[in-house]
Every structure is written in C-alpha cells, then in structure tokens.
Amino acid sequence: MDARTGTGRDGYDPLGIVDKWVERWRRLRVFEAGGLAAPAGQAVEARPRSYVVGMYPYPSGDLHMGHAEAYSITDVLARFARLRGRNTLCPIGWDSFGLPAENAALKRDLDPRDWTYANIAVQAESFARLGVSFDWRTRLHTSDPEYYRWNQWLFLRLFENDLAHRASAPVNWCPVDRTVLANEQVLGGRCERCGTRVQVQHRTQWFFRTTRYAQRLLDDMAQLEDGWPAHVLAMQRHWIGRSEGAEIAFAVEGRDEPLRVFSSRPDTLFGATFLAVAADAPLADELCADSRREALAAYRDELTGGSDAGRRATSGVELGCSAVHPMTGARLPVYAAEYVVAGYGTGAVMGVPGHDQRDLDFALAMGLPVVVVVDTGGADPATSGTAADGDGVLVSSPGFDGLARDAAIRAVTAELERRGAGAAAVRYRLRDWLVSRQRYWGTPIPIVHCPACGAVPVPDDQLPVRLPETGYELRPDDGAAPLASATAWVSVDCPACGGAARRDTDTMDTFVDSSWYFLRYPNPRYADGPFDPAGVARWLPVDEYVGGVEHATGHLIYARFVTKVLHDLGLLPFTEPFTRLTNQGQVVMAGRAMSKSLGNLVSLAEQLAAHGPDAVRVTMLFAGPPEEDLDWADVSPAGAVKWLARVWRLCADLGPAAPGTGDPAVRRRVHRLVAETTTLVEGKRLNVAVARLMELTSALRTAVDRGHGPADPAVREGADALVRMLSCVAPFTAEECWERLGHAPSVVQHGWPEADEALLTEESVTCVVQVGGKVRDRIPVPPGIGEAELRAAALRSDRVRAALDGASVAQVVVRPPGLVNVVPARSARR
Ligand code: ANZ
Ligand code: ZN
C-alpha cells in the first residue's frame, strides 16, 4: 500500500498531516513546561510536575530505529503525564563529544565540529517529525563550551575534595597507528583499524574515586527498589561487588614491605602454595629480581589489552623472590600473572589451587603443588582439574582442623590479627573511574602541569579551557595525545607561580558529560553554575528515565555517583537522580542485531517515508513490552496504518450527536476500556494499552454500523476518549481526528479521559427462569448475584407467578447467575 496516495483509506494521508502539526505545535507551544526555570520561590504552577527524560542521543548520523523505539516510549510517558494534568517537562540535548566524530573527521578530513553539528541539525528535524513532545528550550550540546565548562568545574570540585587523583594505568597502544585506543577500539586484542596486536602501555591518568562511594551506591539502592527494574539493580549490585574477607600480609625476603593480598577465603590460608601479582602493575616491577626483568618484560609484551574478561589464567612469570607464609613460615614463589587484576583488592592474590579454579588452572599450568585444606568430599582437584569450592571442614590446617567455613574464617582472621599479619577487610569490585582519554573531541582537563608546583588547577574564573580549534593534529606522528600537538595551546603560565607550564593534554571520558546533564536541562543557559538551583528544586529528581539496559552499570553508576558528590557538597537536596527507570529493548531484524555488515539494517527514514511517523510509533509500541527486543521482521507497519485509517474514518463518519447519553452498553464498554488503558499505561504495559485502543475502535465501529448509528452520543463520547488516548501513541492522526470531531486547536490541551466509576460495574447477564422445567421468563441480573437474591428475583417475576397460577412452590433450584427452576407443588392444578 502506498501511503502517499492514500489508497484504501478514504483520504487518510499519514504523511500529509506531519508538517501541519509540527508547525502548529510549535506555534501553540503546547509542549513547553510551565514556569520552566522561574526564579526560586516563585509560585508559577500549582499542578504537580512530571520530569520525563530519555537518555540523550549521540549524534552519529540521522536517527535510527533504536532512537525511534526509545523516544516513542519516552514520548508516551510524557504525553500521558501531560494529559493527566501534570506540568510536564520532556527535554532534549545531545551527547555530542566522542570518538565517532573524530574517526569521521580523520576519514573524511574535516573538522569534528562540522560533522557533529550537522548531524545534530538532522536529528533535531527528525525528532520534530517523529512527533516527540520535547520542550526545545532545554536543548543543550555537551560539546558547546558553555556546557563543557561545567564538566571542568565539576572536575575541579572533585579535585579539591580529593575525589580526583592521578595514578598510572594501562592504556591500549597500537604500535602501527601510533595511538592510544579506547577499549571499544580493541577487538580480540587487536586494533580495530589496522588489525595489529595491541600493546599495553602505562600512563599517568586521572581517576575519580567512585570507590569511596561504593557502600553508599549499594545502600541507596533501597530508594530505587520500587522504581527501577530488578535486574538493573542486580547488575549494579554485582558491579559494585561487595566482598568480605581478610587482607593478609606475607613477608617478602629482602624487602621491608610485606606483600598484601585480599582473600574472601582466609580459611583456606594453609592451602596457599604461591602468590601472584598483577602483571601490568608497578608492584610486579618492585618485586622482580634483576635476573627476572627480561622475562617480565617479554611476558608483558604478549599481554593482550582490553577487558578483564579475556584474561588467561594459565600464564605467568616467576619474579624470583619468595614470600613467607604467616602461619607456617613456608617459602612461597611469587609470580606476575595476567589473571590478577591490578585494580582489585591489593592487586595480589594468594594462590590456593585446591579451592579456587583460576588458582588451580594456574598451578597446573606452572607445575605448582595443589594442597587440599577443606574436606568437601569431592574429587582430588590435582587430578580432576576442578577446584573443591564447596563447603566442608578444615583439614591440614594445624590449630583449625574441623572448623566449618564461617567459624574457620573468623578463627583464622583472629589469629592473623594476633600475629599482626592481617585483618578482616571489605573490598568492592567497583573501581575508580578512569576519566582520562587521549583524544581530541572531548572536554579538556582543567589542570596545568608546572615543573615547580606540580598539578595546578585552572582557576574557576579562567574556565572554560577551550578546545583549540586550529593548530592541532588528530593523529600526531609522534604518537602523543592530539592535544599535545597544539603547542601554542599547551604552553601556558602556571596559575600558581607564573612560570612556564603545560596544560594537561587529555580530555575527559564523555560519561562525565552524561553524569549530570539532566540537572542542566531546566535552565541550559544558566551561567552562574552547572545548573540552576531553582530549576533543580522544581524538576529534579527525574520522575521517569528511559534508556537502554546497556547503561545499567556505566552511565547509571556514574550519574548516581556524581549526584551523591554534589549532594555532599551541599548543591543537591537529593541523593538519587532517577526515581523511576524504564529500559527499552533493542530493535533487531530477523533475530539479529541490525548492522551494516550483516546487511539487515532497517532505515528509519525509509520506514517513515513509507508509513508515516504514527504508524512507525504504533508498530514499535504494539510489538511487545517496552523492555523486550523488537524484531522488525515480525511486525506490520502497514497493519498499523490500517488501524489508524480506521480511527480516522470513524471520526469522519460521526455526525452531530443526538441529545442524551446514548446506548448504555456502548458507554459501559467505553468507560471500561478507558479505565483499563489508564492502568496499563501507568504500569508501562504500552503494547497491551495499544491493543485496548484497537478494541475500542472496533467496538465503536460496530456501534456506528449496527447500533444507534453515527449520532449516538455514547459513540461520540467514545470517539472523544479514543482520540485523546490515541494522541499519546499516534499524535498526528489523533490531532486530525480531533479536528474532525469538531475540536480545536490541539488535543494536547484536553485531558486524558476519566472513567466513570459507576459505569465500571459489570454489565448484567440473562437468567433463564423455568417453571416445572418450561422456560417462562428471562430476567437481567448482575453476574455476581448470590443464590438467595436470585431466588427472590425469580419468584418476583410476573410471568413466573402467572405460570404458577396460584400453586404453591415445592422447591426452587437456583444455579446463579444463569438458571432458576421453580418446581410447583403436585397438588396444584392436578
Ligand atoms: C584465596 C582464595 C581461596 C580465594 C579460595 C577464593 C577462593 P570476590 O569474592 O569476587 O571478591 N582475588 C583477590 N584479588 C584479586 C585480584 N586483584 N585479581 C584477581 N583475583 C583476585 O573474589 C575475591 C577472591 O578473588 C579472593 O579470594 C582472591 O582469591 C581473588 F578458595 O583468595 B581468594
Ligand atoms: Zn607553578
């Protein structure tokens, strides 16, 4: 079916109505929130507010199917809140710093700015034509100096409060491209661009101390139990990864400092047969004997960069020193091993191959002894290759044998404390947030490095530190960070001593930008701080936050962290930024994620051109629950167009309503469906809500065709209700229908329909009343009627009395609600 011609739709033109409404909504300013950023204390709005935020987009090109899905859901929630009388703010901005702009600029030899802002312009236009009810006054771009200056401000507040610090951390280095790669540019240990094996290099980089907030990030989840999906909370809990155990000190021969390890199983101490430290950390260098340096360097060369997941447990290199067991005094070898993570615990482990699988894999690969110290009744790990990690009692642990796990942990920890060789400890899997990026298109870090003063913060009144717009190389030949090539920009006077100094040449992770953008929306031009306190008081925290589950641990942890920091600085009155969270699923094609290389990319622009924005929105919302993946191969935008055309025709067919309230059965049906749809949207069961609207459409059509006709006031009432509710999912069509029903100027200004409680009681059913087995009457009764009540109703019937003709009643058989049989006494009329 060709949408343009309107074939088969009696003139319904889903594309022809778009511009008209985009324009009219703009002119009427119907999506502008009341008193957006009015001064503090000024009472502008008595209505309760609703702040509905979709995670802001990255401007990678035009909008795609994923955007359409996410913002269709966001928009339904916003429009629903608005119709229900809430002062609603649905903001929009762009996450416009980031690597793709830099890659596109490199490839096409242009300025990342031009690429970025051109894409933003295209997306903004597409959003408008998708009918998303944004309040465009909130518009912000994180790559604007007026925005990123506040990233720098935030950085400085963290720095002052000892929440930003520098430490050495590994980066992925591509020796061919001579550049640092982001983790997402490393595929299977190789450079995404040239396929070369990535090397690990160490650089001093900036971190935010998220670990200081680990326990509060856990504790405050209590506030989110009702509003966030349970699996997102579970993912965060796992990501933060609280672990209880002990820190244990092993003396190292020839070294003053002991080697400390963190173990969640101090009860297995007597099974430790080696120690291992993270291969990519300085600790390995400190422990390494001179004779082993070459071996360590060679081992490091083959380390693969990237995520922790791919770390092999079966390789390592001996460092040539020995550690002393704190209980037995045994000498244990010390290794550098890839499977030990530098950032977790102390970056060192005691290897207990009997009871830890990775230690066992390592020990078997290295030919190290395997000692069983917990009797779990399982097979011998040394021969089976499977660590005995079950419960049991201690064995071969002099002084502790026979103790079960918890008691053993307590006893061994107490003994370590007595000997000054350890203490109970809590560790978190969560790591400090590495915010330095060796990239150009990001927020410059507001620090100046002075040979005399060290790392000196740029004074607030010198912010923003602007990105140089010229005189830089995106990929300098010397392999340095792009900003280091902007020599004129880099040289600066030290803010502290005035001497010659250099700017920090890293830029910030773009997750810094997105950790607080929702605070700025109410007043994006605010110049006295990152956000307007009055706007924040009026709109925050976010009532409904919508975005992909891929942000469950990254963005949503960072935003929670920054919110808590700002709270602690006295700048925010709340500790959690997002009260309710909805995750939308992915749009896939024929069971697979859409991708250019698979050739299964569905173009949103083409879908919009073929079916119009309303049908695309309806298709996405109707396909399944918001959080589930949506397979475009299984849905029918043409079907959605047909339904919308039916609604449109229904409204076109209705004449002026006759007086009165109309057919009571139709009214009851309408009000029941309004009540159900309301509950469904509240519960975010949007696909079922759309199904109810379809049901209402059919019911009204039937009533027009077979019932009291197009003038029935009940049908008219139903069509009004249908169109108001429809405006949340298919706003363009709803507006056209609203006009056809004789209203003006926009359905947005009219409320969500209210269901009349009195009409929600169930309709009556027909009860057959027999006398002596012969049907004598049919009476309407409520479906839930009780036995005694039904009996009385049947005996009241005139027809039943006539049939009895004076005979007395011997028995009444009552089967609610459908049947009553009155048995007359034999004596009568015989
Ligand atoms: C000895 C031991 C014996 C361990 C045993 C476990 C089982 P969770 O529970 O996730 O916190 N570990 C400690 N630091 C590490 C690091 N930096 N890199 C890799 N592994 C590390 O894990 C804690 C356990 O993970 C610690 O307890 C340690 O191994 C290991 F039967 O110590 B265990
Ligand atoms: Zn200085």
Side-chain angles (χ1 to χ4, degrees), residues 184-337:
E184 59 269 25
Q185 294 176 296
V186 181
L187 302 176
R190 290 174 182 278
C191 170
E192 165 194 74
R193 309 176 76 237
C194 69
T196 310
R197 248 211 127 65
V198 166
Q199 297 173 354
V200 175
Q201 279 195 353
H202 287 266
R203 302 220 176 169
T204 303
Q205 306 185 72
W206 289 99
F207 289 84
F208 288 167
R209 295 194 197 271
T210 38
T211 48
R212 292 239 177 114
Y213 281 73
Q215 191 57 46
R216 280 177 59 197
L217 286 165
L218 273 182
D219 293 344
D220 288 353
M221 270 194 250
Q223 295 178 47
L224 308 175
E225 293 292 343
D226 296 332
W228 282 37
H231 65 275
V232 173
L233 293 176
M235 283 164 85
Q236 291 221 342
R237 210 166 276 126
H238 177 75
W239 186 258
I240 297 165
R242 184 187 154 99
S243 175
E244 291 174 16
E247 204 173 279
I248 305 171
F250 290 75
V252 177
E253 291 183 334
R255 192 171 181 264
D256 294 340
E257 272 291 291
L259 176 52
R260 293 176 208 282
V261 305
F262 172 71
S263 175
S264 54
R265 294 290 305 277
D267 55 321
T268 63
L269 179 56
F270 287 87
T273 60
F274 65 94
L275 297 182
V277 301
D280 52 6
L283 183 59
D285 299 292
E286 289 170 27
L287 292 165
C288 192
D290 285 341
S291 60
R292 301 295 301 159
R293 293 211 183 272
E294 252 172 64
L296 176 61
Y299 179 62
R300 280 177 171 168
D301 274 347
E302 33 169 290
L303 291 181
T304 48
S307 70
D308 296 343
R311 289 167 181 264
R312 301 154 299 161
T314 49
S315 81
V317 61
E318 215 183 326
L319 292 176
C321 63
S322 55
V324 182
H325 194 287
M327 298 286 195
T328 66
R331 302 282 184 276
L332 305 178
V334 181
Y335 287 80

Side-chain angles (χ1 to χ4, degrees), residues 243 262-265 268 339-341 344 349-350 355-356 358:
S243 175
F262 172 71
S263 175
S264 54
R265 294 290 305 277
T268 63
Y339 82 96
V340 183
V341 181
Y344 185 63
V349 305
M350 64 175 190
H355 305 287
D356 180 276
R358 297 208 298 173

Side-chain angles (χ1 to χ4, degrees), residues 619-763:
T619 304
M620 298 204 146
L621 294 164
F622 185 53
E627 66 281 3
E628 268 174 30
D629 285 355
L630 181 173
D631 196 326
W632 202 252
D634 298 341
V635 299
S636 163
V641 175
K642 269 192 208 157
W643 169 50
L644 294 171
R646 235 180 308 150
V647 179
W648 189 88
R649 229 177 299 124
L650 174 76
C651 295
D653 285 354
L654 295 191
T661 54
D663 185 330
V666 172
R667 282 201 84 202
R668 256 197 303 273
R669 188 87 187 270
V670 168
H671 283 260
R672 176 108 33 83
L673 287 169
V674 166
E676 282 181 27
T677 308
T678 309
T679 311
L680 288 164
V681 179
E682 277 170 350
K684 307 206 178 95
R685 301 182 56 204
L686 306 183
N687 57 322
V688 193
V690 172
R692 292 294 179 276
L693 298 184
M694 293 175 171
E695 200 182 324
L696 180 54
T697 311
S698 302
L700 294 174
R701 186 79 246 172
T702 310
V704 170
D705 294 346
R706 285 187 232 145
H708 301 246
D712 183 347
V715 172
R716 177 76 206 201
E717 186 188 354
D720 262 27
L722 171 61
V723 170
R724 291 175 192 216
M725 296 190 289
L726 182 71
S727 76
C728 292
V729 296
F732 297 97
T733 306
E735 291 283 17
E736 282 295 310
C737 292
W738 195 241
E739 233 177 39
R740 218 136 248 109
L741 292 173
H743 306 292
S746 166
V747 67
V748 178
Q749 293 161 331
H750 299 260
W752 182 261
E754 290 280 341
D756 182 346
E757 284 295 326
L759 294 171
L760 298 182
T761 55
E762 287 173 280
E763 292 164 57

